[in-house]
Coordinates of all heavy atoms in Angstrom, one line a residue:
M48 N 0.8 -1.2 0.0 CA 0.0 0.0 0.0 C 0.9 1.3 0.1 O 1.4 1.6 1.0 CB -0.9 0.0 1.3 CG -2.3 -0.5 0.9 SD -3.3 -0.3 2.5 CE -3.6 1.4 2.4
H49 N 1.0 1.9 -1.2 CA 1.9 3.0 -1.1 C 1.2 4.3 -0.5 O 1.9 5.2 -0.2 CB 2.5 3.3 -2.6 CG 1.5 3.9 -3.5 ND1 1.8 4.7 -4.5 CD2 0.2 3.8 -3.6 CE1 0.8 5.0 -5.3 NE2 -0.3 4.5 -4.7
E50 N -0.1 4.2 -0.3 CA -0.8 5.3 0.3 C -0.1 5.5 1.8 O -0.2 6.8 2.2 CB -2.2 5.1 0.4 CG -3.1 5.5 -0.9 CD -3.0 4.4 -1.8 OE1 -2.5 3.3 -1.6 OE2 -3.6 4.6 -2.9
V51 N 0.2 4.5 2.4 CA 0.9 4.6 3.8 C 2.1 5.5 3.7 O 2.3 6.3 4.5 CB 1.1 3.2 4.4 CG1 1.8 3.4 5.7 CG2 -0.3 2.5 4.7
A52 N 3.0 5.1 2.8 CA 4.3 5.8 2.6 C 4.0 7.3 2.1 O 4.5 8.1 2.7 CB 5.0 5.2 1.5
L53 N 2.9 7.4 1.4 CA 2.6 8.8 0.9 C 2.1 9.6 2.1 O 2.5 10.8 2.3 CB 1.5 8.8 -0.2 CG 2.0 8.5 -1.6 CD1 0.9 8.3 -2.5 CD2 2.9 9.6 -2.1
A54 N 1.2 9.1 2.9 CA 0.6 9.7 4.1 C 1.8 10.1 5.0 O 1.7 11.2 5.6 CB -0.3 8.7 4.8
Q55 N 2.8 9.3 5.1 CA 3.9 9.5 6.0 C 4.7 10.7 5.5 O 5.1 11.6 6.2 CB 4.8 8.3 6.1 CG 6.0 8.5 7.1 CD 5.5 8.9 8.5 OE1 4.7 8.1 9.1 NE2 6.0 10.0 9.0
S56 N 4.9 10.8 4.1 CA 5.6 12.0 3.6 C 4.8 13.2 3.7 O 5.3 14.3 3.8 CB 6.1 11.7 2.1 OG 5.0 11.5 1.3
I57 N 3.5 13.1 3.6 CA 2.7 14.3 3.8 C 2.9 14.9 5.3 O 3.0 16.1 5.4 CB 1.2 14.1 3.6 CG1 1.0 13.8 2.0 CG2 0.4 15.3 3.9 CD1 -0.3 13.2 1.7
V58 N 2.8 13.9 6.2 CA 3.0 14.4 7.6 C 4.5 15.0 7.8 O 4.6 16.0 8.5 CB 2.9 13.2 8.5 CG1 3.3 13.5 10.0 CG2 1.4 12.6 8.6
D59 N 5.4 14.4 7.1 CA 6.8 15.0 7.2 C 6.8 16.4 6.5 O 7.5 17.2 7.1 CB 7.8 14.1 6.3 CG 8.0 12.7 7.1 OD1 7.7 12.6 8.2 OD2 8.5 11.8 6.4
I60 N 6.1 16.6 5.4 CA 6.1 17.9 4.9 C 5.4 18.9 5.9 O 6.0 20.0 6.1 CB 5.3 17.9 3.5 CG1 6.1 17.1 2.4 CG2 5.0 19.3 3.1 CD1 5.3 16.8 1.3
V61 N 4.3 18.5 6.5 CA 3.7 19.4 7.4 C 4.6 19.8 8.6 O 4.7 20.9 9.0 CB 2.4 18.7 7.9 CG1 1.7 19.5 9.1 CG2 1.4 18.6 6.9
R62 N 5.3 18.7 9.1 CA 6.2 18.9 10.2 C 7.3 19.9 9.8 O 7.7 20.8 10.5 CB 6.7 17.7 10.7 CG 5.7 16.8 11.3 CD 6.3 15.4 11.6 NE 7.0 15.4 12.9 CZ 7.3 14.3 13.6 NH1 7.1 13.2 13.1 NH2 8.0 14.3 14.7
E63 N 7.9 19.7 8.6 CA 8.9 20.5 8.1 C 8.5 22.0 8.0 O 9.2 23.0 8.3 CB 9.4 20.0 6.8 CG 10.6 20.6 6.1 CD 11.8 20.4 7.0 OE1 11.9 19.4 7.7 OE2 12.6 21.3 7.1
Q64 N 7.2 22.2 7.4 CA 6.7 23.5 7.1 C 6.3 24.3 8.5 O 6.2 25.5 8.4 CB 5.5 23.5 6.2 CG 6.0 23.1 4.8 CD 5.0 23.3 3.8 OE1 3.9 23.7 4.0 NE2 5.4 23.1 2.5
T65 N 6.1 23.6 9.5 CA 5.6 24.2 10.8 C 6.7 24.3 11.8 O 6.4 24.7 12.9 CB 4.4 23.4 11.4 OG1 4.7 22.0 11.4 CG2 3.2 23.5 10.4
K66 N 7.9 23.8 11.4 CA 9.0 23.8 12.4 C 9.2 25.1 12.9 O 9.4 26.1 12.1 CB 10.2 23.2 11.8 CG 11.2 22.6 12.7 CD 12.1 21.5 12.1 CE 12.8 22.0 10.9 NZ 13.7 21.0 10.3
G67 N 9.4 25.3 14.3 CA 9.7 26.5 14.9 C 8.6 27.6 14.9 O 8.9 28.6 15.3
Q68 N 7.4 27.2 14.5 CA 6.3 28.1 14.5 C 5.5 27.9 15.7 O 5.4 26.8 16.2 CB 5.5 28.1 13.2 CG 6.2 28.4 12.0 CD 5.3 28.4 10.8 OE1 4.2 28.7 10.8 NE2 5.9 27.9 9.6
T69 N 4.8 29.0 16.2 CA 4.1 28.9 17.5 C 2.6 29.0 17.2 O 2.1 30.0 17.0 CB 4.5 29.9 18.4 OG1 4.5 31.2 17.7 CG2 5.9 29.7 18.9
F70 N 2.0 27.9 17.1 CA 0.5 27.8 17.0 C 0.1 26.5 17.6 O 0.8 25.7 17.9 CB 0.0 28.0 15.6 CG 0.6 27.1 14.6 CD1 0.2 25.7 14.5 CD2 1.8 27.5 13.8 CE1 0.8 24.9 13.6 CE2 2.3 26.6 12.9 CZ 1.9 25.4 12.9
G71 N -1.3 26.3 17.8 CA -1.7 25.2 18.5 C -1.6 23.9 17.6 O -0.9 22.9 18.1
A72 N -2.2 23.9 16.6 CA -2.1 22.7 15.7 C -2.6 22.9 14.2 O -3.1 24.0 14.0 CB -3.1 21.7 16.3
V73 N -2.2 22.1 13.4 CA -2.7 22.1 12.1 C -4.1 21.5 12.0 O -4.3 20.4 12.5 CB -1.8 21.3 11.1 CG1 -2.2 21.3 9.7 CG2 -0.3 21.9 11.2
T74 N -5.0 22.3 11.4 CA -6.4 21.8 11.4 C -6.8 21.2 10.0 O -7.6 20.3 10.0 CB -7.4 23.0 11.7 OG1 -7.1 24.1 10.9 CG2 -7.3 23.3 13.1
R75 N -6.2 21.8 9.0 CA -6.5 21.2 7.6 C -5.3 21.3 6.8 O -4.5 22.2 6.8 CB -7.7 22.0 6.9 CG -9.0 21.8 7.7 CD -10.1 22.1 6.7 NE -10.2 23.6 6.5 CZ -11.1 24.1 5.7 NH1 -12.0 23.3 5.0 NH2 -11.3 25.4 5.6
V76 N -5.1 20.2 5.9 CA -4.0 20.1 5.0 C -4.7 20.0 3.6 O -5.5 19.1 3.3 CB -3.1 18.9 5.3 CG1 -2.1 18.8 4.2 CG2 -2.6 19.0 6.7
F77 N -4.3 21.0 2.7 CA -4.9 20.9 1.4 C -4.0 20.3 0.4 O -2.7 20.6 0.4 CB -5.1 22.4 1.0 CG -6.3 23.0 1.6 CD1 -6.1 23.6 2.9 CD2 -7.6 23.0 1.1 CE1 -7.1 24.2 3.6 CE2 -8.6 23.7 1.9 CZ -8.3 24.2 3.1
L78 N -4.4 19.3 -0.3 CA -3.6 18.5 -1.2 C -4.2 18.5 -2.6 O -5.4 18.5 -2.8 CB -3.8 17.0 -0.8 CG -2.9 16.4 0.3 CD1 -3.2 14.9 0.2 CD2 -1.4 16.6 -0.1
R79 N -3.3 18.5 -3.6 CA -3.7 18.3 -4.9 C -3.3 16.9 -5.4 O -2.1 16.6 -5.3 CB -3.0 19.4 -5.8 CG -3.8 20.6 -6.0 CD -2.9 21.7 -6.8 NE -3.7 22.9 -6.8 CZ -4.8 23.1 -7.6 NH1 -5.2 22.2 -8.4 NH2 -5.4 24.3 -7.5
I80 N -4.2 16.2 -5.8 CA -3.9 14.9 -6.4 C -4.3 14.8 -7.8 O -5.5 14.9 -8.2 CB -4.5 13.8 -5.5 CG1 -4.0 13.9 -4.1 CG2 -4.1 12.4 -6.2 CD1 -4.6 12.9 -3.2
G81 N -3.4 14.5 -8.7 CA -3.7 14.3 -10.1 C -4.5 13.1 -10.4 O -4.3 12.0 -9.7
A82 N -5.4 13.1 -11.3 CA -6.3 12.0 -11.6 C -5.4 10.8 -12.1 O -5.9 9.6 -12.1 CB -7.3 12.3 -12.7
L83 N -4.2 11.0 -12.6 CA -3.3 10.0 -13.1 C -2.3 9.4 -12.2 O -1.5 8.6 -12.5 CB -2.6 10.3 -14.4 CG -3.5 11.0 -15.5 CD1 -2.7 11.4 -16.6 CD2 -4.6 10.1 -15.9
S84 N -2.4 9.9 -10.9 CA -1.4 9.6 -9.9 C -1.6 8.2 -9.3 O -0.7 7.7 -8.5 CB -1.3 10.6 -8.9 OG -2.5 10.5 -8.1
S85 N -2.7 7.5 -9.5 CA -3.1 6.2 -9.0 C -3.0 6.2 -7.5 O -2.7 5.2 -6.9 CB -2.2 5.1 -9.6 OG -0.9 5.2 -9.0
V86 N -3.4 7.4 -6.9 CA -3.6 7.3 -5.4 C -5.0 7.3 -5.1 O -5.9 7.9 -5.7 CB -3.0 8.7 -4.9 CG1 -3.3 8.9 -3.4 CG2 -1.5 8.9 -5.2
E87 N -5.3 6.4 -4.2 CA -6.7 6.2 -3.7 C -6.9 7.2 -2.5 O -6.3 7.0 -1.4 CB -6.8 4.7 -3.2 CG -8.2 4.2 -3.1 CD -9.0 4.4 -4.3 OE1 -8.7 3.9 -5.4 OE2 -10.0 5.2 -4.4
P88 N -7.8 8.2 -2.8 CA -7.9 9.2 -1.7 C -8.3 8.6 -0.4 O -7.9 9.1 0.7 CB -9.0 10.2 -2.3 CG -8.8 10.0 -3.7 CD -8.5 8.6 -4.0
E89 N -9.3 7.7 -0.3 CA -9.7 7.2 0.9 C -8.6 6.5 1.7 O -8.6 6.6 2.9 CB -10.9 6.1 0.6 CG -12.2 6.8 0.2 CD -12.2 7.1 -1.3 OE1 -11.3 6.5 -2.1 OE2 -12.9 8.0 -1.8
A90 N -7.8 5.7 0.9 CA -6.8 5.0 1.6 C -5.7 6.0 2.2 O -5.2 5.8 3.2 CB -6.1 4.1 0.6
L91 N -5.5 7.2 1.4 CA -4.6 8.1 1.8 C -5.1 8.8 3.1 O -4.3 9.1 4.1 CB -4.4 9.2 0.7 CG -3.3 10.2 1.0 CD1 -2.0 9.5 1.0 CD2 -3.3 11.3 -0.2
V92 N -6.4 9.2 3.2 CA -7.0 9.8 4.4 C -6.8 8.8 5.5 O -6.4 9.3 6.6 CB -8.5 10.1 4.2 CG1 -9.2 10.5 5.5 CG2 -8.6 11.3 3.1
F93 N -7.1 7.6 5.3 CA -6.9 6.6 6.5 C -5.5 6.5 6.9 O -5.2 6.5 8.1 CB -7.4 5.2 5.9 CG -7.4 4.2 6.9 CD1 -8.3 4.0 8.0 CD2 -6.3 3.3 7.0 CE1 -8.3 3.1 8.9 CE2 -6.3 2.3 8.0 CZ -7.2 2.2 8.8
G94 N -4.5 6.5 6.0 CA -3.1 6.3 6.4 C -2.6 7.6 6.9 O -1.9 7.6 8.0
F95 N -3.2 8.8 6.6 CA -2.8 10.1 7.1 C -3.2 10.2 8.6 O -2.4 10.6 9.5 CB -3.4 11.3 6.4 CG -3.1 12.6 6.8 CD1 -1.9 13.2 6.7 CD2 -4.0 13.3 7.7 CE1 -1.5 14.4 7.2 CE2 -3.7 14.5 8.1 CZ -2.5 15.1 8.0
D96 N -4.4 9.8 8.9 CA -4.9 9.8 10.3 C -4.0 9.1 11.2 O -3.7 9.5 12.4 CB -6.4 9.2 10.3 CG -7.4 10.2 9.8 OD1 -7.0 11.4 9.6 OD2 -8.5 9.8 9.6
S97 N -3.5 7.9 10.8 CA -2.7 7.2 11.7 C -1.2 7.7 11.7 O -0.6 7.8 12.7 CB -2.7 5.7 11.4 OG -2.0 5.3 10.3
A98 N -0.8 8.2 10.5 CA 0.6 8.7 10.5 C 0.8 10.0 11.2 O 1.8 10.4 11.8 CB 1.1 8.9 9.0
A99 N -0.4 10.8 11.3 CA -0.3 12.1 12.0 C -0.5 12.0 13.5 O -0.2 13.0 14.2 CB -1.5 12.9 11.4
R100 N -0.8 10.9 14.0 CA -1.1 10.7 15.5 C 0.2 11.1 16.2 O 1.3 10.7 15.9 CB -1.4 9.3 15.8 CG -2.3 9.1 17.1 CD -3.1 7.8 16.9 NE -4.2 7.9 15.9 CZ -4.7 6.8 15.2 NH1 -4.1 5.6 15.4 NH2 -5.6 6.9 14.3
G101 N 0.0 12.0 17.2 CA 1.1 12.5 18.1 C 1.9 13.5 17.4 O 2.9 13.9 18.0
T102 N 1.7 13.9 16.2 CA 2.4 15.0 15.6 C 1.6 16.3 15.5 O 0.5 16.3 16.1 CB 2.8 14.6 14.1 OG1 1.6 14.8 13.4 CG2 3.3 13.2 14.0
V103 N 2.2 17.3 15.0 CA 1.5 18.6 14.9 C 0.3 18.5 14.0 O -0.7 19.4 14.0 CB 2.5 19.7 14.4 CG1 2.9 19.5 12.9 CG2 1.9 21.1 14.5
A104 N 0.2 17.5 13.2 CA -0.9 17.3 12.3 C -2.0 16.4 12.8 O -3.0 16.1 12.1 CB -0.4 16.7 10.9
D105 N -1.8 16.0 14.0 CA -2.8 15.1 14.7 C -4.2 15.7 14.7 O -4.4 16.8 15.1 CB -2.3 14.9 16.2 CG -3.1 13.6 16.8 OD1 -4.0 13.2 16.3 OD2 -2.5 13.2 17.8
G106 N -5.1 15.0 14.1 CA -6.5 15.5 14.0 C -6.8 16.3 12.9 O -7.9 16.8 12.7
A107 N -5.8 16.6 12.1 CA -6.0 17.5 10.9 C -6.8 16.8 9.8 O -6.7 15.6 9.7 CB -4.6 18.0 10.4
R108 N -7.6 17.6 9.1 CA -8.4 17.0 8.0 C -7.6 17.2 6.7 O -7.1 18.2 6.5 CB -9.7 17.7 7.9 CG -10.8 16.9 8.6 CD -12.2 16.9 8.0 NE -12.5 17.9 7.0 CZ -13.3 19.0 7.3 NH1 -13.8 19.2 8.4 NH2 -13.5 19.8 6.3
L109 N -7.6 16.2 5.9 CA -7.1 16.3 4.5 C -8.2 16.8 3.6 O -9.3 16.2 3.6 CB -6.7 14.9 4.0 CG -5.3 14.3 4.4 CD1 -5.0 13.1 3.6 CD2 -4.2 15.4 4.3
E110 N -7.9 17.9 3.0 CA -8.8 18.5 1.8 C -8.2 18.2 0.5 O -7.2 18.8 0.2 CB -9.0 19.9 2.1 CG -9.5 20.3 3.4 CD -11.0 20.0 3.6 OE1 -11.7 19.7 2.6 OE2 -11.6 20.1 4.8
I111 N -8.8 17.2 -0.1 CA -8.1 16.7 -1.3 C -8.9 17.3 -2.5 O -10.1 17.3 -2.8 CB -8.2 15.2 -1.5 CG1 -7.4 14.6 -0.4 CG2 -7.8 14.7 -2.8 CD1 -7.4 13.0 -0.2
V112 N -8.1 17.9 -3.5 CA -8.5 18.5 -4.7 C -8.0 17.6 -5.8 O -6.8 17.4 -5.9 CB -8.0 19.9 -4.9 CG1 -8.5 20.5 -6.3 CG2 -8.6 20.8 -3.8
R113 N -8.9 17.0 -6.6 CA -8.4 16.2 -7.7 C -8.2 17.1 -8.9 O -9.0 17.9 -9.3 CB -9.5 15.1 -8.0 CG -9.9 14.1 -6.9 CD -8.7 13.3 -6.3 NE -7.9 12.6 -7.3 CZ -8.1 11.3 -7.5 NH1 -9.1 10.6 -6.9 NH2 -7.4 10.6 -8.3
T114 N -7.0 17.0 -9.5 CA -6.7 17.6 -10.8 C -6.9 16.7 -11.9 O -6.5 15.5 -11.8 CB -5.5 18.3 -10.7 OG1 -4.4 17.4 -10.5 CG2 -5.3 19.3 -9.7
P115 N -7.4 17.2 -13.1 CA -7.5 16.3 -14.3 C -6.3 15.8 -14.9 O -5.2 16.6 -14.7 CB -8.4 17.1 -15.2 CG -8.0 18.5 -14.8 CD -7.8 18.6 -13.4
G116 N -6.2 14.7 -15.5 CA -5.1 14.3 -16.3 C -5.1 15.1 -17.6 O -6.2 15.4 -18.2
T117 N -4.0 15.5 -18.1 CA -3.9 16.3 -19.4 C -3.0 15.6 -20.2 O -1.9 15.0 -19.8 CB -3.5 17.7 -19.2 OG1 -2.2 17.8 -18.4 CG2 -4.6 18.5 -18.3
A118 N -3.2 15.8 -21.6 CA -2.3 15.1 -22.6 C -2.3 15.9 -23.8 O -3.3 16.7 -24.1 CB -2.8 13.7 -22.8
F119 N -1.2 15.8 -24.6 CA -1.2 16.4 -25.9 C -1.3 15.3 -26.9 O -0.7 14.1 -26.8 CB 0.2 17.0 -26.1 CG 0.5 17.5 -27.5 CD1 -0.1 18.7 -28.0 CD2 1.3 16.8 -28.3 CE1 0.1 19.1 -29.2 CE2 1.5 17.2 -29.7 CZ 0.8 18.4 -30.1
C120 N -2.2 15.4 -27.9 CA -2.5 14.4 -28.9 C -1.5 14.7 -30.1 O -1.6 15.7 -30.7 CB -3.9 14.4 -29.3 SG -4.2 13.2 -30.6
A121 N -0.6 13.6 -30.4 CA 0.3 13.9 -31.5 C -0.4 13.6 -32.8 O 0.1 14.0 -33.9 CB 1.5 12.8 -31.4
A122 N -1.6 13.1 -32.8 CA -2.3 12.8 -34.1 C -3.0 14.2 -34.5 O -3.0 14.6 -35.7 CB -3.3 11.7 -34.0
C123 N -3.8 14.8 -33.5 CA -4.6 15.9 -34.0 C -4.1 17.3 -33.4 O -4.5 18.3 -33.7 CB -6.1 15.8 -33.6 SG -6.4 15.9 -31.8
G124 N -3.0 17.2 -32.6 CA -2.4 18.4 -32.1 C -3.1 19.1 -31.1 O -2.7 20.3 -30.7
R125 N -4.1 18.5 -30.4 CA -4.9 19.2 -29.4 C -4.4 18.8 -28.0 O -3.8 17.7 -27.8 CB -6.4 18.7 -29.4 CG -7.1 19.2 -30.6 CD -8.6 19.3 -30.4 NE -9.2 19.7 -31.7 CZ -9.9 18.9 -32.4 NH1 -10.2 17.6 -32.0 NH2 -10.4 19.4 -33.5
D126 N -4.5 19.8 -27.0 CA -4.4 19.5 -25.7 C -5.7 19.0 -25.1 O -6.7 19.7 -25.3 CB -3.9 20.7 -24.9 CG -2.5 21.1 -25.2 OD1 -1.6 20.2 -25.1 OD2 -2.2 22.2 -25.7
V127 N -5.7 17.8 -24.5 CA -7.0 17.2 -24.1 C -6.9 16.8 -22.6 O -5.8 16.7 -22.1 CB -7.4 16.1 -25.0 CG1 -7.7 16.5 -26.4 CG2 -6.3 15.0 -25.0
Q128 N -8.1 16.5 -22.0 CA -8.1 15.9 -20.7 C -8.5 14.5 -20.8 O -9.3 14.0 -21.5 CB -9.2 16.6 -19.9 CG -8.9 18.1 -19.5 CD -9.8 18.7 -18.5 OE1 -10.7 18.0 -18.0 NE2 -9.4 19.8 -18.0
V129 N -7.8 13.7 -19.9 CA -8.0 12.2 -19.9 C -8.2 11.8 -18.4 O -7.7 12.4 -17.6 CB -6.8 11.5 -20.6 CG1 -6.7 11.7 -22.0 CG2 -5.5 11.8 -19.9
A130 N -9.0 10.8 -18.3 CA -9.2 10.2 -17.0 C -8.3 9.1 -16.6 O -8.0 8.8 -15.4 CB -10.7 9.6 -16.9
A131 N -7.6 8.4 -17.6 CA -6.7 7.4 -17.4 C -5.5 7.4 -18.4 O -5.8 7.9 -19.5 CB -7.4 6.1 -17.3
R132 N -4.5 6.8 -18.0 CA -3.3 6.8 -18.9 C -3.6 6.0 -20.2 O -3.0 6.3 -21.3 CB -2.0 6.2 -18.3 CG -1.4 7.0 -17.3 CD -0.3 6.4 -16.6 NE 0.2 7.2 -15.5 CZ 1.0 8.2 -15.7 NH1 1.5 8.6 -16.9 NH2 1.4 9.0 -14.7
I133 N -4.5 5.0 -20.2 CA -4.8 4.2 -21.3 C -5.8 4.9 -22.2 O -6.2 4.2 -23.3 CB -5.2 2.8 -20.9 CG1 -6.3 2.9 -19.9 CG2 -4.0 2.1 -20.2 CD1 -7.1 1.6 -19.8
D134 N -6.4 6.0 -21.8 CA -7.4 6.6 -22.7 C -6.9 6.9 -24.0 O -5.8 7.3 -24.2 CB -8.0 7.9 -21.9 CG -9.0 7.5 -20.9 OD1 -9.1 6.3 -20.6 OD2 -9.6 8.4 -20.4
D135 N -7.9 6.9 -25.1 CA -7.6 7.5 -26.3 C -8.0 8.9 -26.4 O -8.6 9.5 -25.5 CB -8.4 6.7 -27.3 CG -7.9 5.3 -27.5 OD1 -6.8 5.0 -27.2 OD2 -8.7 4.4 -27.8
C136 N -7.5 9.6 -27.5 CA -7.8 11.1 -27.5 C -9.4 11.2 -27.6 O -10.0 10.6 -28.5 CB -7.2 11.6 -28.8 SG -7.6 13.3 -29.1
P137 N -9.9 12.1 -26.8 CA -11.3 12.3 -26.8 C -11.7 13.1 -28.0 O -13.0 13.1 -28.4 CB -11.6 13.0 -25.5 CG -10.4 13.6 -25.0 CD -9.2 12.7 -25.6
A138 N -10.8 13.7 -28.7 CA -11.2 14.5 -29.9 C -11.2 13.7 -31.2 O -12.0 13.8 -32.0 CB -10.3 15.8 -30.0
C139 N -10.1 12.8 -31.3 CA -10.0 12.2 -32.6 C -9.9 10.7 -32.5 O -9.9 10.0 -33.4 CB -8.8 12.7 -33.3 SG -7.2 12.2 -32.7
G140 N -9.8 10.2 -31.2 CA -9.8 8.7 -31.0 C -8.5 8.1 -31.1 O -8.3 6.9 -31.0
S141 N -7.4 8.9 -31.5 CA -6.1 8.3 -31.6 C -5.5 7.9 -30.2 O -5.9 8.4 -29.1 CB -5.1 9.4 -32.2 OG -3.8 9.0 -31.9
A142 N -4.6 6.9 -30.2 CA -4.0 6.4 -29.0 C -2.6 7.2 -28.7 O -1.9 6.8 -27.8 CB -3.8 4.9 -29.0
Q143 N -2.3 8.1 -29.7 CA -1.0 8.7 -29.6 C -1.0 9.9 -28.7 O -0.7 11.1 -29.1 CB -0.5 9.2 -31.0 CG -0.4 8.1 -32.0 CD 0.1 8.6 -33.3 OE1 1.0 9.3 -33.5 NE2 -0.7 8.2 -34.4
L144 N -1.2 9.6 -27.4 CA -1.3 10.7 -26.4 C 0.0 10.8 -25.6 O 0.5 9.7 -25.2 CB -2.5 10.5 -25.5 CG -3.9 10.7 -26.1 CD1 -4.9 10.5 -25.0 CD2 -4.0 12.1 -26.7
L145 N 0.5 11.9 -25.4 CA 1.6 12.2 -24.6 C 1.1 12.8 -23.3 O 0.5 14.0 -23.3 CB 2.6 13.1 -25.2 CG 3.1 12.7 -26.6 CD1 3.9 13.9 -27.2 CD2 4.0 11.4 -26.5
I146 N 1.2 12.2 -22.1 CA 0.7 12.7 -20.9 C 1.5 14.0 -20.5 O 2.8 13.9 -20.5 CB 0.7 11.7 -19.8 CG1 -0.1 10.5 -20.1 CG2 0.3 12.3 -18.4 CD1 -1.5 10.7 -20.3
T147 N 0.9 15.1 -20.2 CA 1.5 16.3 -19.9 C 1.3 16.7 -18.4 O 2.0 17.6 -17.9 CB 1.2 17.4 -20.9 OG1 -0.3 17.5 -20.8 CG2 1.6 17.1 -22.2
G148 N 0.3 16.2 -17.8 CA 0.1 16.5 -16.4 C -1.0 15.7 -15.8 O -1.7 14.9 -16.4
G149 N -1.2 15.8 -14.5 CA -2.2 15.0 -13.8 C -1.7 13.9 -13.0 O -2.4 13.1 -12.4
D150 N -0.3 13.8 -12.8 CA 0.2 12.8 -11.9 C 0.9 13.3 -10.6 O 1.7 12.7 -10.0 CB 1.1 11.8 -12.7 CG 2.3 12.7 -13.4 OD1 2.3 13.9 -13.1 OD2 3.1 12.0 -14.0
E151 N 0.6 14.6 -10.3 CA 1.2 15.3 -9.2 C 0.5 14.9 -7.9 O -0.7 14.6 -7.9 CB 1.2 16.8 -9.4 CG -0.1 17.5 -9.0 CD -1.0 17.6 -10.2 OE1 -0.7 16.9 -11.2 OE2 -1.8 18.5 -10.3
L152 N 1.2 15.1 -6.8 CA 0.7 15.0 -5.5 C 1.4 16.1 -4.7 O 2.6 16.0 -4.6 CB 0.9 13.6 -4.8 CG 0.1 13.4 -3.5 CD1 -0.2 12.0 -3.2 CD2 0.9 14.0 -2.3
R153 N 0.7 17.1 -4.3 CA 1.3 18.3 -3.7 C 0.5 18.8 -2.6 O -0.7 18.9 -2.6 CB 1.4 19.4 -4.9 CG 2.6 20.2 -4.8 CD 3.1 20.7 -6.2 NE 1.9 21.1 -7.0 CZ 1.4 22.4 -6.9 NH1 2.0 23.3 -6.2 NH2 0.4 22.7 -7.7
V154 N 1.2 19.1 -1.5 CA 0.6 19.8 -0.4 C 0.6 21.4 -0.9 O 1.7 21.9 -1.0 CB 1.4 19.7 0.9 CG1 0.8 20.6 2.0 CG2 1.5 18.3 1.3
T155 N -0.7 21.9 -1.0 CA -0.7 23.3 -1.4 C -0.9 24.3 -0.3 O -0.5 25.5 -0.4 CB -1.9 23.5 -2.4 OG1 -3.1 23.0 -1.8 CG2 -1.6 22.7 -3.7
E156 N -1.5 23.9 0.8 CA -1.8 24.9 1.9 C -2.0 24.2 3.2 O -2.5 23.0 3.2 CB -3.1 25.6 1.5 CG -3.3 27.0 2.1 CD -4.6 27.5 1.7 OE1 -5.1 27.4 0.6 OE2 -5.2 28.2 2.6
L157 N -1.7 24.9 4.2 CA -1.9 24.3 5.6 C -2.8 25.4 6.2 O -2.6 26.6 6.2 CB -0.6 24.2 6.3 CG 0.4 23.3 5.9 CD1 1.6 23.3 6.8 CD2 -0.2 21.8 5.7
E158 N -3.8 24.9 7.0 CA -4.6 25.8 7.9 C -4.3 25.5 9.3 O -4.3 24.3 9.7 CB -6.2 25.5 7.5 CG -7.0 26.4 8.3 CD -8.5 26.1 8.1 OE1 -8.9 25.2 8.9 OE2 -9.1 26.5 7.2
V159 N -4.0 26.5 10.0 CA -3.5 26.3 11.4 C -4.5 26.9 12.4 O -5.1 27.9 12.1 CB -2.1 26.7 11.7 CG1 -1.1 25.9 10.8 CG2 -1.9 28.2 11.4
A160 N -4.5 26.5 13.6 CA -5.3 27.2 14.6 C -4.4 27.6 15.7 O -3.4 27.0 16.1 CB -6.3 26.2 15.2
Ligands
ZN493 ZN1 -6.4 13.7 -31.1

């Protein structure tokens, strides 16, 4: 389950970013997860809750924003959105898609109390 490792690295990022700051706790962690990243949000939330226990992120809620997969079609020259890596071009049906985005996992914002 790579979500456990991911959850751990998110907690590490939160700890790194809050080091030396004086506030009560982190209440929300905003995340961007690309549609092509093969991360299961439910599993990530579950892993995060246990990885955060006893840290500054204990009890924080993960706010997950899914970003679409994007690709460039070498056949018709369009930039298109795809839901999976194996998708064909929604405009022309070609399989010659080059994935250009949508596999990121990024902490974008922390809300603290
Ligand atoms: Zn196309």
